Structure formats: structure tokens, C-alpha cells
Amino acid sequence: MTEQPRHMLHVMMDVDPAHEEEFNRWYWEEHVPERLALPGFISARRFIAKMGEPKYLAIYELASADALETPEYKHAYNNPSPWTVRMKQHYRSTRHLYSELTRPEH
């Protein structure tokens, strides 16, 4: 049986409705491919709330917590593209949560 990734990064946010279409295009066309090209990022999934807030949730599976400490991640995070800079202006109530999945004791 294949070992499942145990580390996850959860990113929750709302976005200004006037920029929502472009936000979703940016997320799929630039942001997700950029993140998945970084060392330690295994997969990405996005969700939209049927009710409540925040409206958007992205879950990134990571090989380890170290994926968020690599020089490549830090560089991407601290040197956003022009499109990313433009989209960040329209974020609302962004939250980043990190979790490690553990097996229950039996």
C-alpha cells in the first residue's frame, strides 16, 4: 500500500466578487502550477463553500513541513508575479493553516 502524504497546507479566502472570474483563472493558470513545481508540493485541490465563509479553500498536500521552508518556496512567496500582486489586492480574510495528519492510536 502506498503511504499517503501526511502534511497539508490549507488556504482559505474570500475575494472581491468584482474580480472573482479573474481570480479563479489566475489560481488555476498560474498559482497552482507554480506551487506544484516547488519541491515538496505533491498535489492541490480547491473547494468552494456552498454556504458560509470563507468561500474558497485550497488544500496542498506536502511531502513534509520542510516544503514551506525551502529556498524555492520562500523565493516564490517573497517575489510574486505581477498577476499575483494584482490578485492579492482583491483577497479578503485570507487564512493559512498547516496540519499534519496522524494515525489514531489503536
Side-chain angles (χ1 to χ4, degrees):
M1 181 183 282
T2 305
E3 180 74 18
Q4 292 295 317
R6 296 181 55 192
H7 301 270
M8 298 182 141
L9 172 64
H10 304 241
V11 180
M12 297 175 285
M13 70 177 59
D14 286 312
V15 66
D16 179 347
H19 299 277
E20 204 161 2
E21 184 177 331
E22 183 183 13
F23 167 78
N24 284 306
R25 243 186 34 256
W26 162 79
Y27 218 103
W28 284 121
E29 292 176 15
E30 181 177 280
H31 190 67
V32 167
E34 176 186 82
R35 290 299 184 252
L36 291 180
L38 296 171
F41 278 70
I42 296 169
S43 67
R45 294 184 70 188
R46 292 187 68 212
F47 301 86
I48 189 167
K50 295 281 186 179
M51 61 176 58
E53 297 175 348
K55 185 173 183 176
Y56 292 100
L57 166 66
I59 299 177
Y60 299 91
E61 293 177 281
L62 308 173
S64 75
D66 295 337
L68 302 175
E69 299 299 327
T70 66
E72 295 90 345
Y73 177 79
K74 290 179 178 182
H75 178 49
Y77 189 84
N78 292 317
N79 298 282
S81 74
W83 198 7
T84 299
V85 170
R86 192 168 70 248
M87 289 296 92
K88 281 186 174 186
Q89 297 175 43
H90 307 298
Y91 294 0
R92 295 182 181 166
S93 62
T94 303
R95 291 178 231 145
H96 292 80
L97 303 171
Y98 173 81
S99 64
E100 179 178 358
L101 302 177
T102 57
R103 287 183 181 222
E105 297 287 327
H106 291 295

PDB file of all heavy atoms in Angstrom, residues 49-76:
ATOM      1  N   ALA A  49     -17.298  26.956  -1.000  1.00  0.00           N
ATOM      2  CA  ALA A  49     -18.322  26.747   0.022  1.00  0.00           C
ATOM      3  C   ALA A  49     -19.709  26.870  -0.590  1.00  0.00           C
ATOM      4  O   ALA A  49     -19.977  27.775  -1.371  1.00  0.00           O
ATOM      5  CB  ALA A  49     -18.160  27.762   1.143  1.00  0.00           C
ATOM      6  N   LYS A  50     -20.588  25.965  -0.223  1.00  0.00           N
ATOM      7  CA  LYS A  50     -21.991  26.045  -0.648  1.00  0.00           C
ATOM      8  C   LYS A  50     -22.715  27.100   0.179  1.00  0.00           C
ATOM      9  O   LYS A  50     -23.693  27.683  -0.260  1.00  0.00           O
ATOM     10  CB  LYS A  50     -22.685  24.691  -0.471  1.00  0.00           C
ATOM     11  CG  LYS A  50     -22.134  23.616  -1.356  1.00  0.00           C
ATOM     12  CD  LYS A  50     -22.676  23.753  -2.738  1.00  0.00           C
ATOM     13  CE  LYS A  50     -22.240  22.579  -3.592  1.00  0.00           C
ATOM     14  NZ  LYS A  50     -22.758  22.654  -4.919  1.00  0.00           N
ATOM     15  N   MET A  51     -22.239  27.298   1.400  1.00  0.00           N
ATOM     16  CA  MET A  51     -22.777  28.343   2.270  1.00  0.00           C
ATOM     17  C   MET A  51     -21.691  28.718   3.262  1.00  0.00           C
ATOM     18  O   MET A  51     -20.751  27.965   3.471  1.00  0.00           O
ATOM     19  CB  MET A  51     -24.040  27.870   2.999  1.00  0.00           C
ATOM     20  CG  MET A  51     -23.794  26.674   3.906  1.00  0.00           C
ATOM     21  SD  MET A  51     -25.223  26.167   4.876  1.00  0.00           S
ATOM     22  CE  MET A  51     -26.415  25.824   3.630  1.00  0.00           C
ATOM     23  N   GLY A  52     -21.802  29.886   3.847  1.00  0.00           N
ATOM     24  CA  GLY A  52     -20.827  30.332   4.833  1.00  0.00           C
ATOM     25  C   GLY A  52     -19.580  30.928   4.207  1.00  0.00           C
ATOM     26  O   GLY A  52     -19.487  31.083   2.999  1.00  0.00           O
ATOM     27  N   GLU A  53     -18.650  31.268   5.063  1.00  0.00           N
ATOM     28  CA  GLU A  53     -17.417  31.916   4.653  1.00  0.00           C
ATOM     29  C   GLU A  53     -16.249  31.271   5.375  1.00  0.00           C
ATOM     30  O   GLU A  53     -16.446  30.708   6.448  1.00  0.00           O
ATOM     31  CB  GLU A  53     -17.459  33.402   5.005  1.00  0.00           C
ATOM     32  CG  GLU A  53     -18.531  34.159   4.282  1.00  0.00           C
ATOM     33  CD  GLU A  53     -18.608  35.613   4.753  1.00  0.00           C
ATOM     34  OE1 GLU A  53     -17.997  35.950   5.785  1.00  0.00           O
ATOM     35  OE2 GLU A  53     -19.270  36.392   4.081  1.00  0.00           O
ATOM     36  N   PRO A  54     -15.073  31.382   4.836  1.00  0.00           N
ATOM     37  CA  PRO A  54     -14.726  31.963   3.543  1.00  0.00           C
ATOM     38  C   PRO A  54     -15.204  31.085   2.391  1.00  0.00           C
ATOM     39  O   PRO A  54     -15.483  29.905   2.574  1.00  0.00           O
ATOM     40  CB  PRO A  54     -13.203  32.062   3.579  1.00  0.00           C
ATOM     41  CG  PRO A  54     -12.770  31.108   4.609  1.00  0.00           C
ATOM     42  CD  PRO A  54     -13.894  30.919   5.562  1.00  0.00           C
ATOM     43  N   LYS A  55     -15.284  31.681   1.232  1.00  0.00           N
ATOM     44  CA  LYS A  55     -15.860  30.995   0.075  1.00  0.00           C
ATOM     45  C   LYS A  55     -14.925  29.943  -0.516  1.00  0.00           C
ATOM     46  O   LYS A  55     -15.373  28.905  -0.976  1.00  0.00           O
ATOM     47  CB  LYS A  55     -16.215  32.033  -0.993  1.00  0.00           C
ATOM     48  CG  LYS A  55     -16.929  31.442  -2.187  1.00  0.00           C
ATOM     49  CD  LYS A  55     -17.420  32.520  -3.128  1.00  0.00           C
ATOM     50  CE  LYS A  55     -18.205  31.919  -4.287  1.00  0.00           C
ATOM     51  NZ  LYS A  55     -18.766  32.970  -5.150  1.00  0.00           N
ATOM     52  N   TYR A  56     -13.613  30.211  -0.504  1.00  0.00           N
ATOM     53  CA  TYR A  56     -12.661  29.326  -1.169  1.00  0.00           C
ATOM     54  C   TYR A  56     -11.732  28.636  -0.179  1.00  0.00           C
ATOM     55  O   TYR A  56     -11.297  29.225   0.805  1.00  0.00           O
ATOM     56  CB  TYR A  56     -11.805  30.110  -2.173  1.00  0.00           C
ATOM     57  CG  TYR A  56     -12.611  30.593  -3.341  1.00  0.00           C
ATOM     58  CD1 TYR A  56     -13.055  31.908  -3.401  1.00  0.00           C
ATOM     59  CD2 TYR A  56     -12.954  29.740  -4.374  1.00  0.00           C
ATOM     60  CE1 TYR A  56     -13.812  32.352  -4.472  1.00  0.00           C
ATOM     61  CE2 TYR A  56     -13.711  30.174  -5.450  1.00  0.00           C
ATOM     62  CZ  TYR A  56     -14.133  31.480  -5.491  1.00  0.00           C
ATOM     63  OH  TYR A  56     -14.892  31.912  -6.542  1.00  0.00           O
ATOM     64  N   LEU A  57     -11.426  27.390  -0.481  1.00  0.00           N
ATOM     65  CA  LEU A  57     -10.465  26.597   0.281  1.00  0.00           C
ATOM     66  C   LEU A  57      -9.569  25.883  -0.717  1.00  0.00           C
ATOM     67  O   LEU A  57     -10.049  25.256  -1.657  1.00  0.00           O
ATOM     68  CB  LEU A  57     -11.182  25.567   1.157  1.00  0.00           C
ATOM     69  CG  LEU A  57     -10.318  24.454   1.765  1.00  0.00           C
ATOM     70  CD1 LEU A  57      -9.334  25.029   2.783  1.00  0.00           C
ATOM     71  CD2 LEU A  57     -11.207  23.394   2.395  1.00  0.00           C
ATOM     72  N   ALA A  58      -8.269  25.992  -0.512  1.00  0.00           N
ATOM     73  CA  ALA A  58      -7.296  25.216  -1.283  1.00  0.00           C
ATOM     74  C   ALA A  58      -6.537  24.343  -0.300  1.00  0.00           C
ATOM     75  O   ALA A  58      -6.167  24.802   0.786  1.00  0.00           O
ATOM     76  CB  ALA A  58      -6.332  26.134  -2.031  1.00  0.00           C
ATOM     77  N   ILE A  59      -6.326  23.094  -0.658  1.00  0.00           N
ATOM     78  CA  ILE A  59      -5.563  22.176   0.182  1.00  0.00           C
ATOM     79  C   ILE A  59      -4.399  21.655  -0.640  1.00  0.00           C
ATOM     80  O   ILE A  59      -4.590  21.074  -1.712  1.00  0.00           O
ATOM     81  CB  ILE A  59      -6.433  21.009   0.687  1.00  0.00           C
ATOM     82  CG1 ILE A  59      -7.587  21.544   1.540  1.00  0.00           C
ATOM     83  CG2 ILE A  59      -5.576  20.023   1.482  1.00  0.00           C
ATOM     84  CD1 ILE A  59      -8.548  20.471   2.015  1.00  0.00           C
ATOM     85  N   TYR A  60      -3.215  21.900  -0.120  1.00  0.00           N
ATOM     86  CA  TYR A  60      -1.989  21.431  -0.765  1.00  0.00           C
ATOM     87  C   TYR A  60      -1.420  20.284   0.061  1.00  0.00           C
ATOM     88  O   TYR A  60      -1.219  20.425   1.267  1.00  0.00           O
ATOM     89  CB  TYR A  60      -0.950  22.554  -0.822  1.00  0.00           C
ATOM     90  CG  TYR A  60      -1.409  23.741  -1.619  1.00  0.00           C
ATOM     91  CD1 TYR A  60      -2.077  24.793  -1.007  1.00  0.00           C
ATOM     92  CD2 TYR A  60      -1.175  23.813  -2.987  1.00  0.00           C
ATOM     93  CE1 TYR A  60      -2.510  25.883  -1.737  1.00  0.00           C
ATOM     94  CE2 TYR A  60      -1.602  24.908  -3.727  1.00  0.00           C
ATOM     95  CZ  TYR A  60      -2.270  25.941  -3.089  1.00  0.00           C
ATOM     96  OH  TYR A  60      -2.695  27.017  -3.820  1.00  0.00           O
ATOM     97  N   GLU A  61      -1.171  19.158  -0.579  1.00  0.00           N
ATOM     98  CA  GLU A  61      -0.500  18.045   0.081  1.00  0.00           C
ATOM     99  C   GLU A  61       1.002  18.274  -0.052  1.00  0.00           C
ATOM    100  O   GLU A  61       1.496  18.565  -1.146  1.00  0.00           O
ATOM    101  CB  GLU A  61      -0.881  16.724  -0.569  1.00  0.00           C
ATOM    102  CG  GLU A  61      -2.337  16.365  -0.351  1.00  0.00           C
ATOM    103  CD  GLU A  61      -2.694  15.090  -1.065  1.00  0.00           C
ATOM    104  OE1 GLU A  61      -2.909  15.163  -2.291  1.00  0.00           O
ATOM    105  OE2 GLU A  61      -2.753  14.036  -0.402  1.00  0.00           O
ATOM    106  N   LEU A  62       1.692  18.126   1.061  1.00  0.00           N
ATOM    107  CA  LEU A  62       3.125  18.375   1.113  1.00  0.00           C
ATOM    108  C   LEU A  62       3.863  17.108   1.520  1.00  0.00           C
ATOM    109  O   LEU A  62       3.358  16.315   2.320  1.00  0.00           O
ATOM    110  CB  LEU A  62       3.437  19.468   2.139  1.00  0.00           C
ATOM    111  CG  LEU A  62       2.646  20.776   2.016  1.00  0.00           C
ATOM    112  CD1 LEU A  62       2.949  21.688   3.189  1.00  0.00           C
ATOM    113  CD2 LEU A  62       2.961  21.460   0.698  1.00  0.00           C
ATOM    114  N   ALA A  63       5.066  16.937   1.007  1.00  0.00           N
ATOM    115  CA  ALA A  63       5.881  15.787   1.384  1.00  0.00           C
ATOM    116  C   ALA A  63       6.286  15.873   2.851  1.00  0.00           C
ATOM    117  O   ALA A  63       6.382  14.862   3.536  1.00  0.00           O
ATOM    118  CB  ALA A  63       7.115  15.704   0.501  1.00  0.00           C
ATOM    119  N   SER A  64       6.522  17.096   3.326  1.00  0.00           N
ATOM    120  CA  SER A  64       6.864  17.329   4.728  1.00  0.00           C
ATOM    121  C   SER A  64       6.670  18.807   5.025  1.00  0.00           C
ATOM    122  O   SER A  64       6.468  19.615   4.113  1.00  0.00           O
ATOM    123  CB  SER A  64       8.311  16.928   5.016  1.00  0.00           C
ATOM    124  OG  SER A  64       9.204  17.882   4.486  1.00  0.00           O
ATOM    125  N   ALA A  65       6.777  19.150   6.291  1.00  0.00           N
ATOM    126  CA  ALA A  65       6.665  20.551   6.681  1.00  0.00           C
ATOM    127  C   ALA A  65       7.788  21.376   6.063  1.00  0.00           C
ATOM    128  O   ALA A  65       7.644  22.584   5.871  1.00  0.00           O
ATOM    129  CB  ALA A  65       6.693  20.670   8.203  1.00  0.00           C
ATOM    130  N   ASP A  66       8.879  20.728   5.726  1.00  0.00           N
ATOM    131  CA  ASP A  66      10.024  21.422   5.139  1.00  0.00           C
ATOM    132  C   ASP A  66       9.711  22.048   3.784  1.00  0.00           C
ATOM    133  O   ASP A  66      10.437  22.928   3.332  1.00  0.00           O
ATOM    134  CB  ASP A  66      11.208  20.467   4.990  1.00  0.00           C
ATOM    135  CG  ASP A  66      11.735  19.997   6.337  1.00  0.00           C
ATOM    136  OD1 ASP A  66      11.516  20.702   7.349  1.00  0.00           O
ATOM    137  OD2 ASP A  66      12.355  18.925   6.371  1.00  0.00           O
ATOM    138  N   ALA A  67       8.648  21.621   3.124  1.00  0.00           N
ATOM    139  CA  ALA A  67       8.280  22.201   1.826  1.00  0.00           C
ATOM    140  C   ALA A  67       8.038  23.707   1.941  1.00  0.00           C
ATOM    141  O   ALA A  67       8.261  24.444   0.986  1.00  0.00           O
ATOM    142  CB  ALA A  67       7.039  21.511   1.262  1.00  0.00           C
ATOM    143  N   LEU A  68       7.611  24.142   3.125  1.00  0.00           N
ATOM    144  CA  LEU A  68       7.336  25.568   3.342  1.00  0.00           C
ATOM    145  C   LEU A  68       8.578  26.342   3.773  1.00  0.00           C
ATOM    146  O   LEU A  68       8.508  27.550   3.999  1.00  0.00           O
ATOM    147  CB  LEU A  68       6.230  25.731   4.397  1.00  0.00           C
ATOM    148  CG  LEU A  68       4.920  25.050   4.042  1.00  0.00           C
ATOM    149  CD1 LEU A  68       3.931  25.170   5.197  1.00  0.00           C
ATOM    150  CD2 LEU A  68       4.332  25.620   2.769  1.00  0.00           C
ATOM    151  N   GLU A  69       9.703  25.653   3.861  1.00  0.00           N
ATOM    152  CA  GLU A  69      10.953  26.279   4.285  1.00  0.00           C
ATOM    153  C   GLU A  69      12.033  26.252   3.212  1.00  0.00           C
ATOM    154  O   GLU A  69      13.138  26.727   3.447  1.00  0.00           O
ATOM    155  CB  GLU A  69      11.477  25.586   5.552  1.00  0.00           C
ATOM    156  CG  GLU A  69      10.540  25.682   6.741  1.00  0.00           C
ATOM    157  CD  GLU A  69      10.273  27.121   7.179  1.00  0.00           C
ATOM    158  OE1 GLU A  69      11.188  27.972   7.057  1.00  0.00           O
ATOM    159  OE2 GLU A  69       9.142  27.395   7.631  1.00  0.00           O
ATOM    160  N   THR A  70      11.717  25.690   2.048  1.00  0.00           N
ATOM    161  CA  THR A  70      12.737  25.599   1.005  1.00  0.00           C
ATOM    162  C   THR A  70      13.056  26.982   0.440  1.00  0.00           C
ATOM    163  O   THR A  70      12.211  27.885   0.448  1.00  0.00           O
ATOM    164  CB  THR A  70      12.287  24.689  -0.160  1.00  0.00           C
ATOM    165  OG1 THR A  70      11.173  25.299  -0.812  1.00  0.00           O
ATOM    166  CG2 THR A  70      11.950  23.284   0.324  1.00  0.00           C
ATOM    167  N   PRO A  71      14.273  27.163  -0.060  1.00  0.00           N
ATOM    168  CA  PRO A  71      14.607  28.439  -0.705  1.00  0.00           C
ATOM    169  C   PRO A  71      13.671  28.748  -1.872  1.00  0.00           C
ATOM    170  O   PRO A  71      13.306  29.904  -2.091  1.00  0.00           O
ATOM    171  CB  PRO A  71      16.049  28.231  -1.194  1.00  0.00           C
ATOM    172  CG  PRO A  71      16.589  27.129  -0.353  1.00  0.00           C
ATOM    173  CD  PRO A  71      15.408  26.260   0.001  1.00  0.00           C
ATOM    174  N   GLU A  72      13.256  27.714  -2.603  1.00  0.00           N
ATOM    175  CA  GLU A  72      12.367  27.920  -3.754  1.00  0.00           C
ATOM    176  C   GLU A  72      11.001  28.449  -3.310  1.00  0.00           C
ATOM    177  O   GLU A  72      10.448  29.354  -3.946  1.00  0.00           O
ATOM    178  CB  GLU A  72      12.185  26.613  -4.532  1.00  0.00           C
ATOM    179  CG  GLU A  72      13.440  26.102  -5.188  1.00  0.00           C
ATOM    180  CD  GLU A  72      14.272  25.170  -4.302  1.00  0.00           C
ATOM    181  OE1 GLU A  72      14.059  25.108  -3.069  1.00  0.00           O
ATOM    182  OE2 GLU A  72      15.160  24.505  -4.850  1.00  0.00           O
ATOM    183  N   TYR A  73      10.439  27.875  -2.229  1.00  0.00           N
ATOM    184  CA  TYR A  73       9.148  28.350  -1.727  1.00  0.00           C
ATOM    185  C   TYR A  73       9.272  29.788  -1.228  1.00  0.00           C
ATOM    186  O   TYR A  73       8.442  30.640  -1.554  1.00  0.00           O
ATOM    187  CB  TYR A  73       8.613  27.446  -0.610  1.00  0.00           C
ATOM    188  CG  TYR A  73       7.313  27.964  -0.031  1.00  0.00           C
ATOM    189  CD1 TYR A  73       6.119  27.761  -0.701  1.00  0.00           C
ATOM    190  CD2 TYR A  73       7.291  28.689   1.152  1.00  0.00           C
ATOM    191  CE1 TYR A  73       4.923  28.262  -0.206  1.00  0.00           C
ATOM    192  CE2 TYR A  73       6.100  29.188   1.661  1.00  0.00           C
ATOM    193  CZ  TYR A  73       4.922  28.973   0.981  1.00  0.00           C
ATOM    194  OH  TYR A  73       3.751  29.480   1.473  1.00  0.00           O
ATOM    195  N   LYS A  74      10.301  30.043  -0.437  1.00  0.00           N
ATOM    196  CA  LYS A  74      10.491  31.398   0.100  1.00  0.00           C
ATOM    197  C   LYS A  74      10.672  32.417  -1.013  1.00  0.00           C
ATOM    198  O   LYS A  74      10.140  33.524  -0.941  1.00  0.00           O
ATOM    199  CB  LYS A  74      11.666  31.418   1.070  1.00  0.00           C
ATOM    200  CG  LYS A  74      11.352  30.685   2.359  1.00  0.00           C
ATOM    201  CD  LYS A  74      12.528  30.695   3.303  1.00  0.00           C
ATOM    202  CE  LYS A  74      12.167  29.993   4.597  1.00  0.00           C
ATOM    203  NZ  LYS A  74      13.259  30.029   5.565  1.00  0.00           N
ATOM    204  N   HIS A  75      11.400  32.030  -2.056  1.00  0.00           N
ATOM    205  CA  HIS A  75      11.586  32.941  -3.178  1.00  0.00           C
ATOM    206  C   HIS A  75      10.253  33.222  -3.883  1.00  0.00           C
ATOM    207  O   HIS A  75       9.921  34.377  -4.165  1.00  0.00           O
ATOM    208  CB  HIS A  75      12.599  32.360  -4.166  1.00  0.00           C
ATOM    209  CG  HIS A  75      12.801  33.221  -5.378  1.00  0.00           C
ATOM    210  ND1 HIS A  75      13.048  34.568  -5.313  1.00  0.00           N
ATOM    211  CD2 HIS A  75      12.775  32.931  -6.703  1.00  0.00           C
ATOM    212  CE1 HIS A  75      13.171  35.070  -6.530  1.00  0.00           C
ATOM    213  NE2 HIS A  75      13.001  34.092  -7.391  1.00  0.00           N
ATOM    214  N   ALA A  76       9.487  32.167  -4.162  1.00  0.00           N
ATOM    215  CA  ALA A  76       8.183  32.344  -4.823  1.00  0.00           C
ATOM    216  C   ALA A  76       7.247  33.187  -3.962  1.00  0.00           C
ATOM    217  O   ALA A  76       6.533  34.051  -4.473  1.00  0.00           O
ATOM    218  CB  ALA A  76       7.553  30.984  -5.121  1.00  0.00           C
TER     219      ALA A  76
END
